[in-house]
Amino acid sequence: MLRIREAIVVEGRYDKNALSQVVDAVILETSGFGIFRNEEKLALFRRLAEKQGLIILTDSDGAGFLIRNHLKGAIDPALVKHAYIPDRYGKERRKRRPGKEGKLGVEGMPPEILERVLRQAGATFLDETGAEPEPRRKITKGDLYAAGLSGGPDAGEKRKALLRRLDLPEHLTANGLLEVLNVLYGYDELVRMGILG
Protein backbone atom coordinates (compact mmCIF):
# COMPACT_ATOMS: atom_id res chain seq x y z
CA MET A 1 0.00 0.00 0.00
CA LEU A 2 1.42 3.37 -1.03
CA ARG A 3 1.22 6.17 1.55
CA ILE A 4 0.49 9.60 0.10
CA ARG A 5 0.54 12.88 2.04
CA GLU A 6 -2.00 14.77 -0.07
CA ALA A 7 -5.75 14.24 0.12
CA ILE A 8 -7.19 12.92 -3.15
CA VAL A 9 -10.51 14.03 -4.63
CA VAL A 10 -12.43 11.64 -6.89
CA GLU A 11 -15.93 11.76 -8.33
CA GLY A 12 -17.74 8.93 -6.56
CA ARG A 13 -17.68 5.97 -4.21
CA TYR A 14 -16.63 3.38 -6.82
CA ASP A 15 -13.63 5.55 -7.71
CA LYS A 16 -12.82 5.85 -4.02
CA ASN A 17 -13.07 2.07 -3.55
CA ALA A 18 -10.72 1.38 -6.47
CA LEU A 19 -8.18 3.97 -5.33
CA SER A 20 -8.25 2.81 -1.71
CA GLN A 21 -6.93 -0.58 -2.92
CA VAL A 22 -3.79 1.22 -4.15
CA VAL A 23 -3.06 4.08 -1.75
CA ASP A 24 -3.26 4.88 1.93
CA ALA A 25 -4.48 8.46 1.81
CA VAL A 26 -7.51 10.57 2.58
CA ILE A 27 -9.83 10.05 -0.40
CA LEU A 28 -12.84 12.32 -0.76
CA GLU A 29 -15.75 12.26 -3.20
CA THR A 30 -17.33 15.15 -5.09
CA SER A 31 -20.60 13.19 -5.39
CA GLY A 32 -20.37 13.87 -9.12
CA PHE A 33 -21.97 17.17 -10.05
CA GLY A 34 -23.18 17.50 -6.44
CA ILE A 35 -20.02 19.53 -5.75
CA PHE A 36 -21.47 22.39 -7.80
CA ARG A 37 -24.09 22.98 -5.08
CA ASN A 38 -22.18 21.93 -1.98
CA GLU A 39 -20.31 24.89 -0.52
CA GLU A 40 -19.60 23.01 2.72
CA LYS A 41 -17.77 20.22 0.91
CA LEU A 42 -15.88 22.77 -1.19
CA ALA A 43 -14.81 24.55 2.01
CA LEU A 44 -13.58 21.20 3.38
CA PHE A 45 -11.56 20.59 0.19
CA ARG A 46 -9.98 24.05 0.61
CA ARG A 47 -9.03 23.33 4.24
CA LEU A 48 -7.48 20.01 3.35
CA ALA A 49 -5.60 21.63 0.46
CA GLU A 50 -4.14 24.19 2.87
CA LYS A 51 -3.29 21.57 5.49
CA GLN A 52 -1.68 18.86 3.35
CA GLY A 53 -2.25 19.52 -0.34
CA LEU A 54 -4.88 18.13 -2.69
CA ILE A 55 -4.77 15.92 -5.77
CA ILE A 56 -7.71 16.02 -8.16
CA LEU A 57 -8.28 12.70 -9.95
CA THR A 58 -11.43 12.71 -12.08
CA ASP A 59 -12.53 10.61 -15.04
CA SER A 60 -11.22 11.53 -18.46
CA ASP A 61 -14.67 12.17 -19.94
CA GLY A 62 -16.42 15.51 -20.36
CA ALA A 63 -18.18 15.24 -17.00
CA GLY A 64 -14.87 14.61 -15.24
CA PHE A 65 -13.35 17.70 -16.80
CA LEU A 66 -16.36 19.85 -15.85
CA ILE A 67 -15.89 18.79 -12.23
CA ARG A 68 -12.11 19.30 -12.40
CA ASN A 69 -12.51 22.77 -13.89
CA HIS A 70 -15.02 23.75 -11.22
CA LEU A 71 -12.53 22.71 -8.51
CA LYS A 72 -9.68 24.51 -10.32
CA GLY A 73 -11.63 27.75 -10.05
CA ALA A 74 -12.63 27.22 -6.43
CA ILE A 75 -9.34 26.15 -4.77
CA ASP A 76 -5.99 27.95 -4.72
CA PRO A 77 -4.07 26.43 -7.67
CA ALA A 78 -0.81 26.54 -5.70
CA LEU A 79 -2.26 23.91 -3.32
CA VAL A 80 -3.58 21.51 -5.96
CA LYS A 81 -1.98 18.83 -8.12
CA HIS A 82 -3.78 17.24 -11.05
CA ALA A 83 -3.68 13.55 -11.92
CA TYR A 84 -5.12 12.53 -15.27
CA ILE A 85 -6.10 8.99 -16.20
CA PRO A 86 -5.57 7.97 -19.81
CA ASP A 87 -8.44 7.46 -22.20
CA ARG A 88 -9.20 3.75 -22.14
CA TYR A 89 -12.34 2.55 -23.84
CA GLY A 90 -14.45 -0.11 -22.25
CA LYS A 91 -17.05 -0.77 -19.59
CA GLU A 92 -16.68 -1.15 -15.84
CA ARG A 93 -17.74 -4.58 -14.55
CA ARG A 94 -20.61 -3.25 -12.48
CA LYS A 95 -22.22 -1.44 -15.42
CA ARG A 96 -24.50 -2.89 -18.08
CA ARG A 97 -23.30 -0.47 -20.76
CA PRO A 98 -20.28 1.75 -21.26
CA GLY A 99 -20.56 5.41 -20.26
CA LYS A 100 -21.75 8.09 -22.67
CA GLU A 101 -18.28 8.52 -24.19
CA GLY A 102 -17.36 4.84 -23.86
CA LYS A 103 -14.36 5.56 -21.62
CA LEU A 104 -13.35 3.81 -18.44
CA GLY A 105 -13.35 5.98 -15.35
CA VAL A 106 -11.03 5.96 -12.35
CA GLU A 107 -12.80 2.85 -11.03
CA GLY A 108 -11.93 0.93 -14.20
CA MET A 109 -8.20 1.71 -14.16
CA PRO A 110 -5.73 -0.99 -13.11
CA PRO A 111 -3.68 -0.27 -9.98
CA GLU A 112 -0.43 0.28 -11.92
CA ILE A 113 -2.03 3.06 -13.98
CA LEU A 114 -3.45 4.74 -10.87
CA GLU A 115 0.00 4.65 -9.25
CA ARG A 116 1.61 6.02 -12.42
CA VAL A 117 -0.77 8.96 -12.79
CA LEU A 118 -0.32 9.88 -9.13
CA ARG A 119 3.46 9.84 -9.56
CA GLN A 120 3.16 11.96 -12.69
CA ALA A 121 1.04 14.46 -10.76
CA GLY A 122 3.80 14.85 -8.17
CA ALA A 123 2.12 13.07 -5.26
CA THR A 124 4.26 12.89 -2.12
CA PHE A 125 4.92 9.20 -1.45
CA LEU A 126 5.88 9.19 2.22
CA ASP A 127 7.70 5.88 2.38
CA GLU A 128 10.00 6.90 -0.46
CA THR A 129 10.86 10.44 0.60
CA GLY A 130 11.65 9.61 4.18
CA ALA A 131 9.19 12.32 5.21
CA GLU A 132 6.95 11.28 8.02
CA PRO A 133 3.84 13.01 9.24
CA GLU A 134 4.25 14.64 12.64
CA PRO A 135 3.82 11.87 15.22
CA ARG A 136 0.46 12.03 16.90
CA ARG A 137 -2.06 9.64 18.34
CA LYS A 138 -4.79 8.78 15.87
CA ILE A 139 -8.43 9.21 16.80
CA THR A 140 -10.32 5.90 16.78
CA LYS A 141 -13.96 4.88 16.49
CA GLY A 142 -13.72 4.05 20.19
CA ASP A 143 -12.76 7.65 20.93
CA LEU A 144 -15.84 8.91 19.06
CA TYR A 145 -18.00 6.41 20.94
CA ALA A 146 -16.53 7.44 24.31
CA ALA A 147 -17.22 11.09 23.47
CA GLY A 148 -20.84 10.24 22.63
CA LEU A 149 -20.34 11.08 18.93
CA SER A 150 -21.04 7.60 17.59
CA GLY A 151 -23.20 4.61 18.45
CA GLY A 152 -25.02 6.01 21.47
CA PRO A 153 -28.18 7.92 22.22
CA ASP A 154 -28.23 11.39 20.64
CA ALA A 155 -24.90 10.66 18.87
CA GLY A 156 -26.26 12.11 15.62
CA GLU A 157 -27.23 15.39 17.29
CA LYS A 158 -23.92 15.64 19.14
CA ARG A 159 -22.07 14.97 15.88
CA LYS A 160 -24.05 17.71 14.11
CA ALA A 161 -23.21 20.16 16.90
CA LEU A 162 -19.52 19.27 16.62
CA LEU A 163 -19.61 19.65 12.85
CA ARG A 164 -21.09 23.13 13.26
CA ARG A 165 -18.50 24.02 15.90
CA LEU A 166 -15.61 22.90 13.68
CA ASP A 167 -17.18 24.36 10.52
CA LEU A 168 -17.33 20.99 8.75
CA PRO A 169 -19.99 19.69 6.31
CA GLU A 170 -23.12 18.60 8.16
CA HIS A 171 -23.56 15.44 6.12
CA LEU A 172 -20.28 13.79 7.18
CA THR A 173 -20.91 10.30 8.48
CA ALA A 174 -19.23 9.09 11.67
CA ASN A 175 -16.56 7.38 9.53
CA GLY A 176 -16.09 10.48 7.39
CA LEU A 177 -15.81 12.61 10.53
CA LEU A 178 -13.16 10.25 11.91
CA GLU A 179 -11.08 10.56 8.74
CA VAL A 180 -11.32 14.36 8.61
CA LEU A 181 -10.58 14.81 12.34
CA ASN A 182 -7.41 12.73 11.98
CA VAL A 183 -6.23 14.95 9.13
CA LEU A 184 -7.17 18.35 10.51
CA TYR A 185 -6.70 17.94 14.26
CA GLY A 186 -5.48 14.71 15.84
CA TYR A 187 -6.34 13.32 19.24
CA ASP A 188 -4.27 15.63 21.46
CA GLU A 189 -5.62 18.79 19.86
CA LEU A 190 -9.22 17.61 20.28
CA VAL A 191 -8.52 16.81 23.94
CA ARG A 192 -7.20 20.38 24.42
CA MET A 193 -10.37 21.68 22.77
CA GLY A 194 -12.50 19.67 25.22
CA ILE A 195 -14.01 17.48 22.50
CA LEU A 196 -12.29 14.20 23.44
CA GLY A 197 -10.80 13.00 26.64
Side-chain angles (χ1 to χ4, degrees), residues 115-190:
E115 178 182 348
R116 187 188 78 216
V117 301
L118 289 168
R119 287 186 186 283
Q120 290 169 335
T124 307
F125 288 82
L126 297 177
D127 296 333
E128 296 170 8
T129 64
E132 290 293 326
E134 53 278 2
R136 60 182 184 184
R137 181 189 178 289
K138 284 188 99 60
I139 302 159
T140 65
K141 287 184 179 184
D143 295 325
L144 293 185
Y145 180 80
L149 296 166
S150 175
D154 302 321
E157 289 305 312
K158 290 177 183 175
R159 207 166 41 250
K160 281 184 182 178
L162 176 62
L163 292 170
R164 280 191 299 274
R165 176 178 170 189
L166 299 178
D167 196 26
L168 295 170
E170 68 176 323
H171 297 292
L172 275 178
T173 62
N175 287 337
L177 174 64
L178 180 64
E179 192 171 46
V180 169
L181 290 177
N182 272 309
V183 170
L184 294 176
Y185 299 99
Y187 181 83
D188 293 332
E189 189 172 353
L190 291 180

Side-chain angles (χ1 to χ4, degrees), residues 55-156:
I55 297 172
I56 298 174
L57 176 62
T58 58
D59 294 350
S60 61
D61 60 5
F65 275 86
L66 279 173
I67 293 166
R68 180 185 298 275
N69 289 333
H70 178 71
L71 294 173
K72 274 183 181 179
I75 302 170
D76 181 353
L79 306 173
V80 178
K81 297 175 181 177
H82 293 274
Y84 296 90
I85 61 169
D87 283 342
R88 296 282 190 274
Y89 291 89
K91 170 187 88 59
E92 281 89 5
R93 277 185 269 169
R94 70 177 177 87
K95 295 181 179 177
R96 289 191 180 138
R97 290 185 288 276
K100 191 175 183 179
E101 296 178 32
K103 297 176 183 178
L104 290 172
V106 170
E107 72 172 281
M109 292 291 125
E112 58 274 8
I113 289 181
L114 293 174
E115 178 182 348
R116 187 188 78 216
V117 301
L118 289 168
R119 287 186 186 283
Q120 290 169 335
T124 307
F125 288 82
L126 297 177
D127 296 333
E128 296 170 8
T129 64
E132 290 293 326
E134 53 278 2
R136 60 182 184 184
R137 181 189 178 289
K138 284 188 99 60
I139 302 159
T140 65
K141 287 184 179 184
D143 295 325
L144 293 185
Y145 180 80
L149 296 166
S150 175
D154 302 321

